[in-house]
Amino acid sequence: MRCSRCAAPAVVDQPYRGAHVCADHLAASVEERFRRELRRQLPGFGRGTIAVALSGGKDSAVALFLAHRVLAPRPRVRLVAISVDEGIAGYRPRTLRAAAKLTDSLGVDHVIVRSHTELGTTTDRTARLTQGTPPCSYCGVWRRRLLNRTALAEGAAAMILGFNLDDLAQTVLMNLVRGDIDQLGRMAPHRGGRAEFVPRIAPLAQVPEREVFLYALAAGLPFDHAECPHASRALRNRFREIVWELESAQPGTRQALLKARDRIVDGSTGGATERAPGRCGSCGGPAAGTICRACEFLRSAATATPLPGTA
Ligand code: SF4
Ligand SMILES: [Zn+2]
Ligand SMILES: [Zn+2]
């Protein structure tokens, strides 16, 4: 199979646009989509700090690499990478090593925040104590809290996440299936922040996961393939399969889900901005109710009774 744009062999097909592309044209089109989305999600940004949430996996590695390529030439823009150590043995230490390797090679500041120090607990520990609750529910909420707090402390105007097209399409479908339109409005990319909330943006939103992976490999980026030991319990895995099946049957489904999200959110807010969160009565951070979900989970974890032999 030849590239649709030159005579070189194709490395990936793009059924959603009826094309096959070679390694060079893939790299160029990933970069082009990243730049376009960055401009769309963060218009006119020329001065200040941008944080990048860096897990050490392929998506955030590509997001940091491209953010650095686009923003490093701007003298008044500072990039800072933030990694969260949730305390997951056999997984997070490896990904943090990959993250540090990348920031060292790019010369980007790197802050690592640890759940153990900041929250007084870890994902592994809470998983042992509360075996009925899927770990991703609190782990993701706590990670967002730590990322937001650290980005605020760094004075960041926005935080780049590595979410790719597949991740976002899955999140849209999960929220639609739950009928949770409010959550649909709160998911990244955000269009505005508040004093206690750094807006999260996703410049890889138009790039499918497979293309992000191929880009990371071709660019020789250090990243870790390790899978979190708690991931098998995540509901997201079901949605990953469903979105993949839908996309195979009808190419372009993922982009359509993202468009649907934008139209629903615009329709429910009059096109102004997403519904702004309130403040948590306990920690002062952003919250949909009277206390934020991070504090709710911390309270349940603190009152959980250790199961025999698990403390
Ligand atoms: S897969 Fe779940 S438990 Fe593992 S790091 Fe991600 S959110 Fe946390
Ligand atoms: Zn080509
Ligand atoms: Zn709180």
Side-chain angles (χ1 to χ4, degrees), residues 176-189:
L176 282 175
V177 166
R178 289 189 195 119
D180 196 343
I181 302 300
D182 284 352
Q183 191 56 32
L184 207 55
R186 283 194 290 268
M187 64 179 275

Side-chain angles (χ1 to χ4, degrees), residues 58-59 161-170 202-210 212-213 254 258:
K58 64 182 187 319
D59 302 295
L161 305 179
F163 289 161
N164 58 51
L165 176 61
D166 294 69
D167 296 328
L168 292 168
Q170 290 153 19
L204 290 171
Q206 293 297 329
V207 186
E209 179 168 17
R210 193 153 54 128
V212 175
F213 175 66
R254 293 168 297 186
L258 260 59

Side-chain angles (χ1 to χ4, degrees), residues 27-210:
S29 96
V30 168
E31 290 180 24
E32 212 273 309
R33 280 174 278 172
F34 182 93
R35 283 177 194 273
R36 188 167 7 105
E37 279 298 310
L38 189 66
R39 271 198 306 273
R40 190 177 77 84
Q41 297 178 25
L42 195 65
F45 188 79
R47 177 198 291 258
T49 298
I50 297 289
V52 181
L54 182 66
S55 69
K58 64 182 187 319
D59 302 295
S60 59
V62 170
L64 177 63
F65 178 76
L66 287 175
H68 181 259
R69 177 167 281 191
V70 175
L71 299 172
R74 302 184 194 175
R76 289 180 300 185
V77 176
R78 169 182 172 253
L79 268 185
V80 57
I82 306 174
S83 302
V84 176
D85 178 359
E86 306 93 338
I88 303 175
Y91 166 65
R92 192 50 86 204
R94 298 173 49 169
T95 63
L96 288 177
R97 276 197 294 277
K101 210 167 156 190
L102 180 61
T103 51
D104 281 353
S105 73
L106 296 174
V108 170
D109 292 344
H110 187 201
V111 180
I112 300 178
V113 268
R114 302 188 194 277
S115 296
H116 178 67
T117 322
E118 301 295 320
L119 304 175
T121 190
T122 66
T123 293
D124 275 353
R125 181 170 186 278
T126 309
R128 282 194 299 273
L129 291 175
T130 59
Q131 294 193 358
T133 313
C136 298
S137 53
Y138 46 85
C139 180
V141 168
W142 288 340
R143 180 171 51 246
R144 281 194 291 280
R145 173 202 267 204
L146 295 179
L147 285 171
N148 186 56
R149 267 195 195 165
T150 313
L152 276 176
E154 292 291 326
M159 178 156 44
I160 291 178
L161 305 179
F163 289 161
N164 58 51
L165 176 61
D166 294 69
D167 296 328
L168 292 168
Q170 290 153 19
T171 308
V172 171
L173 193 62
M174 286 168 81
N175 287 321
L176 282 175
V177 166
R178 289 189 195 119
D180 196 343
I181 302 300
D182 284 352
Q183 191 56 32
L184 207 55
R186 283 194 290 268
M187 64 179 275
H190 303 133
R191 294 176 205 160
R194 297 192 343 150
E196 71 281 7
F197 182 65
V198 177
R200 299 189 289 270
I201 60 170
L204 290 171
Q206 293 297 329
V207 186
E209 179 168 17
R210 193 153 54 128

